[in-house]
Amino acid sequence: MQFPAGLDIDIVSTYGQLASDGAQFLAAAALLYAIGRLIVVPATRWALSRTATNKTVASALTSGVHLLSVVFAVVIGASVAGFRGALAGSTLLAAGITLAVGLAAQDVLGNFVAGAFIVTDPDLNVGDVIAWNGMQGTVVDIDLRVTRIRTPDNERIIVPNTELATSAVTNQTSTGPVGISYQFGVSYEDDIETVQAIIENAARDLDHVSEKPAPTARVSDLASTAVILTGRIWIPNERRNRLASVRAAFIEQVQADCHAEGIDLSDTSQHELSGDIGIHDSVRPTHERTE
Protein backbone atom coordinates (compact mmCIF):
# COMPACT_ATOMS: atom_id res chain seq x y z
CA MET A 1 0.00 0.00 0.00
CA GLN A 2 1.30 3.44 -0.93
CA PHE A 3 0.87 6.41 1.38
CA PRO A 4 1.17 10.12 0.54
CA ALA A 5 4.63 11.59 0.58
CA GLY A 6 5.79 12.59 4.04
CA LEU A 7 3.48 10.11 5.74
CA ASP A 8 5.57 7.31 7.09
CA ILE A 9 3.33 4.75 8.71
CA ASP A 10 3.82 1.04 9.05
CA ILE A 11 0.41 -0.59 9.54
CA VAL A 12 1.83 -4.02 10.37
CA SER A 13 4.27 -2.76 12.98
CA THR A 14 1.65 -0.43 14.45
CA TYR A 15 -0.87 -3.20 14.99
CA GLY A 16 1.87 -5.47 16.26
CA GLN A 17 2.90 -2.87 18.78
CA LEU A 18 -0.68 -2.37 19.90
CA ALA A 19 -1.21 -6.11 20.34
CA SER A 20 1.98 -6.66 22.31
CA ASP A 21 1.69 -3.60 24.52
CA GLY A 22 -2.08 -3.66 25.03
CA ALA A 23 -2.05 -6.10 27.93
CA GLN A 24 0.72 -4.18 29.67
CA PHE A 25 -1.17 -0.90 29.19
CA LEU A 26 -4.41 -2.32 30.60
CA ALA A 27 -2.66 -3.80 33.63
CA ALA A 28 -0.79 -0.59 34.45
CA ALA A 29 -3.80 1.67 33.84
CA ALA A 30 -6.13 -0.56 35.90
CA LEU A 31 -3.69 -0.63 38.82
CA LEU A 32 -3.21 3.14 38.80
CA TYR A 33 -6.94 3.79 38.48
CA ALA A 34 -7.67 1.43 41.39
CA ILE A 35 -5.19 3.33 43.55
CA GLY A 36 -6.79 6.63 42.65
CA ARG A 37 -10.39 5.43 42.98
CA LEU A 38 -9.95 3.47 46.23
CA ILE A 39 -7.31 5.55 48.01
CA VAL A 40 -6.79 9.04 46.58
CA VAL A 41 -10.46 9.96 46.02
CA PRO A 42 -11.67 8.78 49.47
CA ALA A 43 -8.68 10.50 51.08
CA THR A 44 -9.58 13.74 49.30
CA ARG A 45 -13.22 13.45 50.37
CA TRP A 46 -12.17 12.78 53.97
CA ALA A 47 -9.74 15.72 54.02
CA LEU A 48 -12.34 18.12 52.62
CA SER A 49 -14.94 16.94 55.14
CA ARG A 50 -12.55 17.98 57.94
CA THR A 51 -12.32 21.53 56.65
CA ALA A 52 -14.76 24.40 56.28
CA THR A 53 -14.95 23.90 52.52
CA ASN A 54 -18.36 24.57 50.99
CA LYS A 55 -20.18 21.30 50.21
CA THR A 56 -20.68 22.29 46.59
CA VAL A 57 -16.99 23.11 46.10
CA ALA A 58 -15.95 19.96 47.96
CA SER A 59 -18.14 17.83 45.69
CA ALA A 60 -16.63 19.43 42.58
CA LEU A 61 -13.06 19.03 43.88
CA THR A 62 -13.66 15.36 44.63
CA SER A 63 -15.00 14.84 41.10
CA GLY A 64 -11.98 16.66 39.71
CA VAL A 65 -9.59 14.41 41.61
CA HIS A 66 -11.47 11.39 40.27
CA LEU A 67 -11.12 12.70 36.72
CA LEU A 68 -7.42 13.41 37.20
CA SER A 69 -6.88 9.89 38.48
CA VAL A 70 -8.39 8.52 35.25
CA VAL A 71 -6.22 10.78 33.08
CA PHE A 72 -3.13 9.94 35.14
CA ALA A 73 -3.82 6.20 34.85
CA VAL A 74 -4.21 6.40 31.05
CA VAL A 75 -1.14 8.58 30.48
CA ILE A 76 1.18 6.67 32.79
CA GLY A 77 -0.19 3.34 31.57
CA ALA A 78 0.54 4.33 27.98
CA SER A 79 4.04 5.43 28.95
CA VAL A 80 4.74 2.19 30.80
CA ALA A 81 3.45 0.16 27.84
CA GLY A 82 5.75 2.07 25.51
CA PHE A 83 3.16 3.36 23.00
CA ARG A 84 5.43 5.32 20.70
CA GLY A 85 7.13 4.92 17.36
CA ALA A 86 4.82 4.81 14.37
CA LEU A 87 1.75 5.24 16.59
CA ALA A 88 3.13 8.36 18.24
CA GLY A 89 4.59 9.77 15.06
CA SER A 90 1.59 9.41 12.82
CA THR A 91 0.02 12.83 12.35
CA LEU A 92 -2.90 11.35 10.44
CA LEU A 93 -3.68 8.75 13.08
CA ALA A 94 -3.37 11.27 15.90
CA ALA A 95 -5.71 13.66 14.10
CA GLY A 96 -8.22 10.89 13.49
CA ILE A 97 -8.18 9.85 17.13
CA THR A 98 -8.56 13.47 18.24
CA LEU A 99 -11.52 14.01 15.93
CA ALA A 100 -13.25 10.81 17.01
CA VAL A 101 -12.79 11.55 20.71
CA GLY A 102 -13.96 15.14 20.19
CA LEU A 103 -17.15 14.10 18.44
CA ALA A 104 -17.91 11.40 20.99
CA ALA A 105 -17.21 13.60 23.99
CA GLN A 106 -18.76 16.90 22.95
CA ASP A 107 -21.78 16.43 25.20
CA VAL A 108 -19.56 15.32 28.08
CA LEU A 109 -17.31 18.34 27.64
CA GLY A 110 -20.38 20.57 27.52
CA ASN A 111 -21.50 19.14 30.86
CA PHE A 112 -18.04 19.77 32.31
CA VAL A 113 -18.15 23.42 31.26
CA ALA A 114 -21.70 23.80 32.59
CA GLY A 115 -20.66 22.10 35.83
CA ALA A 116 -17.90 24.65 36.32
CA PHE A 117 -20.44 27.46 36.02
CA ILE A 118 -22.86 25.76 38.42
CA VAL A 119 -20.18 25.14 41.05
CA THR A 120 -19.17 28.81 41.02
CA ASP A 121 -22.78 30.07 41.09
CA PRO A 122 -23.64 31.22 44.64
CA ASP A 123 -27.38 30.84 43.93
CA LEU A 124 -27.21 27.05 43.55
CA ASN A 125 -25.64 24.88 46.23
CA VAL A 126 -25.84 21.44 47.78
CA GLY A 127 -28.88 21.34 50.07
CA ASP A 128 -30.95 23.84 48.07
CA VAL A 129 -34.51 22.99 47.06
CA ILE A 130 -34.93 23.81 43.37
CA ALA A 131 -37.54 23.51 40.63
CA TRP A 132 -36.79 23.32 36.89
CA ASN A 133 -38.65 22.13 33.79
CA GLY A 134 -41.59 20.94 35.89
CA MET A 135 -39.36 18.96 38.27
CA GLN A 136 -38.55 19.65 41.91
CA GLY A 137 -36.11 18.30 44.47
CA THR A 138 -33.20 18.86 46.84
CA VAL A 139 -29.65 19.12 45.46
CA VAL A 140 -27.58 16.37 47.09
CA ASP A 141 -24.44 16.46 44.94
CA ILE A 142 -22.89 18.56 42.19
CA ASP A 143 -19.96 17.25 40.18
CA LEU A 144 -18.42 18.38 36.93
CA ARG A 145 -20.70 16.21 34.77
CA VAL A 146 -24.07 15.82 36.46
CA THR A 147 -26.10 17.14 39.38
CA ARG A 148 -27.87 14.64 41.63
CA ILE A 149 -31.24 15.68 43.01
CA ARG A 150 -33.53 13.94 45.51
CA THR A 151 -37.24 14.38 44.81
CA PRO A 152 -39.97 14.71 47.49
CA ASP A 153 -40.76 11.02 46.76
CA ASN A 154 -37.17 10.14 47.77
CA GLU A 155 -36.19 9.31 44.20
CA ARG A 156 -32.79 10.36 42.92
CA ILE A 157 -32.58 12.16 39.58
CA ILE A 158 -29.26 12.46 37.75
CA VAL A 159 -29.48 15.67 35.72
CA PRO A 160 -26.86 16.63 33.09
CA ASN A 161 -25.34 19.95 34.05
CA THR A 162 -26.16 21.45 30.66
CA GLU A 163 -29.89 21.04 31.41
CA LEU A 164 -29.64 23.13 34.57
CA ALA A 165 -27.26 25.64 33.00
CA THR A 166 -29.61 26.37 30.09
CA SER A 167 -32.95 26.28 31.95
CA ALA A 168 -34.77 28.67 34.25
CA VAL A 169 -34.18 27.37 37.79
CA THR A 170 -36.24 28.37 40.81
CA ASN A 171 -34.30 28.18 44.06
CA GLN A 172 -36.88 27.69 46.80
CA THR A 173 -34.32 27.88 49.60
CA SER A 174 -33.45 31.18 51.23
CA THR A 175 -32.35 32.58 54.55
CA GLY A 176 -35.61 34.52 54.94
CA PRO A 177 -39.14 33.34 55.76
CA VAL A 178 -41.03 31.20 53.26
CA GLY A 179 -44.51 32.23 52.14
CA ILE A 180 -47.61 30.16 51.46
CA SER A 181 -50.47 31.64 49.45
CA TYR A 182 -53.96 30.23 48.92
CA GLN A 183 -56.89 31.60 46.92
CA PHE A 184 -60.38 31.68 48.44
CA GLY A 185 -63.54 32.43 46.46
CA VAL A 186 -66.36 34.31 48.21
CA SER A 187 -69.71 35.57 46.99
CA TYR A 188 -70.17 39.10 45.72
CA GLU A 189 -72.86 39.48 48.41
CA ASP A 190 -70.39 38.78 51.24
CA ASP A 191 -68.56 41.60 52.99
CA ILE A 192 -65.00 41.54 51.67
CA GLU A 193 -63.48 43.29 54.69
CA THR A 194 -65.05 40.73 57.01
CA VAL A 195 -63.62 37.82 55.04
CA GLN A 196 -60.20 39.50 54.92
CA ALA A 197 -60.24 39.86 58.70
CA ILE A 198 -61.26 36.20 59.11
CA ILE A 199 -58.36 35.01 56.92
CA GLU A 200 -55.76 37.19 58.66
CA ASN A 201 -56.96 36.32 62.18
CA ALA A 202 -57.07 32.60 61.34
CA ALA A 203 -53.46 32.79 60.17
CA ARG A 204 -52.28 34.54 63.36
CA ASP A 205 -53.71 31.74 65.51
CA LEU A 206 -51.64 29.05 63.74
CA ASP A 207 -48.37 27.62 65.02
CA HIS A 208 -45.14 28.35 63.11
CA VAL A 209 -46.58 31.42 61.35
CA SER A 210 -44.29 34.47 61.43
CA GLU A 211 -45.49 37.83 62.70
CA LYS A 212 -43.18 39.62 60.27
CA PRO A 213 -44.14 39.72 57.49
CA ALA A 214 -47.68 39.71 58.85
CA PRO A 215 -50.42 37.55 57.28
CA THR A 216 -52.36 39.30 54.53
CA ALA A 217 -55.58 38.82 52.56
CA ARG A 218 -55.98 40.82 49.36
CA VAL A 219 -58.43 40.81 46.47
CA SER A 220 -56.54 39.20 43.59
CA ASP A 221 -59.23 38.58 40.98
CA LEU A 222 -62.89 39.08 40.09
CA ALA A 223 -64.30 35.84 38.72
CA SER A 224 -67.74 35.38 37.15
CA THR A 225 -69.35 34.08 40.35
CA ALA A 226 -66.89 35.01 43.09
CA VAL A 227 -64.42 37.53 44.41
CA ILE A 228 -61.01 35.85 44.74
CA LEU A 229 -59.08 36.65 47.90
CA THR A 230 -55.45 35.52 48.19
CA GLY A 231 -54.43 34.76 51.74
CA ARG A 232 -50.66 34.79 52.34
CA ILE A 233 -48.79 33.64 55.41
CA TRP A 234 -45.09 33.27 56.20
CA ILE A 235 -43.19 30.64 58.16
CA PRO A 236 -39.52 30.64 59.24
CA ASN A 237 -37.14 29.01 56.79
CA GLU A 238 -36.09 26.43 59.38
CA ARG A 239 -39.74 25.29 59.51
CA ARG A 240 -39.86 24.67 55.76
CA ASN A 241 -40.50 20.97 56.33
CA ARG A 242 -43.89 21.93 57.84
CA LEU A 243 -45.17 23.67 54.71
CA ALA A 244 -47.81 21.04 53.94
CA SER A 245 -49.16 20.79 57.50
CA VAL A 246 -49.28 24.58 58.00
CA ARG A 247 -51.03 25.00 54.63
CA ALA A 248 -53.67 22.41 55.56
CA ALA A 249 -54.23 23.95 58.99
CA PHE A 250 -54.55 27.42 57.43
CA ILE A 251 -57.23 26.31 54.95
CA GLU A 252 -59.16 24.34 57.57
CA GLN A 253 -59.14 27.24 60.03
CA VAL A 254 -60.33 29.74 57.43
CA GLN A 255 -63.10 27.37 56.36
CA ALA A 256 -64.25 26.83 59.94
CA ASP A 257 -64.20 30.54 60.80
CA CYS A 258 -66.07 31.48 57.62
CA HIS A 259 -68.67 28.81 58.29
CA ALA A 260 -69.17 30.22 61.81
CA GLU A 261 -69.89 33.62 60.23
CA GLY A 262 -72.31 32.16 57.70
CA ILE A 263 -69.88 32.33 54.79
CA ASP A 264 -69.86 28.95 53.07
CA LEU A 265 -66.76 28.53 50.90
CA SER A 266 -67.76 24.99 49.97
CA ASP A 267 -70.82 26.07 47.89
CA THR A 268 -69.21 25.62 44.45
CA SER A 269 -72.45 26.43 42.65
CA GLN A 270 -72.21 29.99 43.93
CA HIS A 271 -68.51 30.37 44.66
CA GLU A 272 -65.20 29.56 43.03
CA LEU A 273 -62.53 27.98 45.21
CA SER A 274 -58.98 27.82 43.88
CA GLY A 275 -56.62 25.41 45.57
CA ASP A 276 -53.25 26.17 44.01
CA ILE A 277 -50.46 26.69 46.51
CA GLY A 278 -47.72 29.21 45.80
CA ILE A 279 -44.36 29.04 47.57
CA HIS A 280 -42.30 32.20 47.61
CA ASP A 281 -39.35 33.58 49.55
CA SER A 282 -38.68 37.01 50.97
CA VAL A 283 -35.85 37.38 48.49
CA ARG A 284 -36.04 36.98 44.74
CA PRO A 285 -36.31 33.17 44.28
CA THR A 286 -35.57 32.68 40.61
CA HIS A 287 -32.63 33.12 38.35
CA GLU A 288 -32.11 32.30 34.74
CA ARG A 289 -28.96 30.94 33.23
CA THR A 290 -28.04 32.09 29.81
CA GLU A 291 -24.62 30.58 29.43
Side-chain angles (χ1 to χ4, degrees), residues 60-121:
L61 289 175
T62 303
S63 299
V65 171
H66 187 191
L67 176 63
L68 288 176
S69 67
V70 174
V71 174
F72 182 81
V74 173
V75 172
I76 300 302
S79 178
V80 170
F83 287 164
R84 54 185 180 275
L87 178 61
S90 173
T91 304
L92 180 61
L93 187 57
I97 293 175
T98 302
L99 178 61
V101 172
L103 292 175
Q106 57 182 342
D107 290 339
V108 176
L109 293 176
N111 285 322
F112 273 109
V113 174
F117 282 108
I118 292 175
V119 168
T120 57
D121 190 339

Side-chain angles (χ1 to χ4, degrees), residues 9-278:
I9 182 170
D10 188 338
I11 298 297
V12 176
S13 63
T14 298
Y15 278 103
Q17 179 179 326
L18 286 172
S20 61
D21 294 342
Q24 186 176 359
F25 164 74
L26 291 176
L31 176 61
L32 292 171
Y33 174 74
I35 293 174
R37 181 68 179 84
L38 301 178
I39 299 177
V40 178
V41 173
T44 301
R45 186 181 295 110
W46 179 86
L48 291 173
S49 68
R50 297 299 186 274
T51 66
T53 305
N54 179 276
K55 290 183 179 180
T56 303
V57 176
S59 176
L61 289 175
T62 303
S63 299
V65 171
H66 187 191
L67 176 63
L68 288 176
S69 67
V70 174
V71 174
F72 182 81
V74 173
V75 172
I76 300 302
S79 178
V80 170
F83 287 164
R84 54 185 180 275
L87 178 61
S90 173
T91 304
L92 180 61
L93 187 57
I97 293 175
T98 302
L99 178 61
V101 172
L103 292 175
Q106 57 182 342
D107 290 339
V108 176
L109 293 176
N111 285 322
F112 273 109
V113 174
F117 282 108
I118 292 175
V119 168
T120 57
D121 190 339
D123 291 327
L124 184 60
N125 295 284
V126 172
D128 287 351
V129 179
I130 65 172
W132 81 104
N133 292 340
M135 305 292 290
Q136 180 180 351
T138 303
V139 178
V140 296
D141 181 58
I142 301 175
D143 64 28
L144 293 179
R145 188 180 64 85
V146 297
T147 297
R148 295 174 177 84
I149 298 174
R150 185 179 64 250
T151 69
D153 295 329
N154 204 31
E155 298 175 334
R156 177 165 293 198
I157 303 176
I158 300 175
V159 184
N161 286 331
T162 52
E163 181 174 338
L164 294 180
T166 57
S167 302
V169 177
T170 301
N171 191 329
Q172 298 178 347
T173 302
S174 74
T175 57
V178 182
I180 302 175
S181 60
Y182 194 91
Q183 293 182 330
F184 300 92
V186 298
S187 170
Y188 278 93
E189 285 73 29
D190 291 324
D191 184 73
I192 300 302
E193 292 184 357
T194 299
V195 179
Q196 288 176 321
I198 289 174
I199 295 174
E200 293 174 358
N201 291 333
R204 293 189 183 97
D205 293 337
L206 297 176
D207 293 332
H208 311 300
V209 174
S210 300
E211 295 182 0
K212 294 183 179 180
T216 61
R218 299 288 185 269
V219 175
S220 58
D221 196 8
L222 297 176
S224 59
T225 59
V227 177
I228 306 302
L229 297 178
T230 298
R232 180 171 288 114
I233 59 177
W234 303 82
I235 66 175
N237 188 57
E238 59 270 19
R239 301 291 185 180
R240 178 182 292 271
N241 61 332
R242 297 184 178 273
L243 278 174
S245 60
V246 173
R247 168 185 177 270
F250 176 48
I251 298 171
E252 291 172 0
Q253 189 64 50
V254 171
Q255 167 65 23
D257 292 348
C258 284
H259 182 71
E261 295 293 330
I263 302 172
D264 189 1
L265 298 178
S266 65
D267 187 359
T268 57
S269 63
Q270 298 295 328
H271 309 293
E272 288 185 0
L273 178 62
S274 173
D276 291 338
I277 178 173

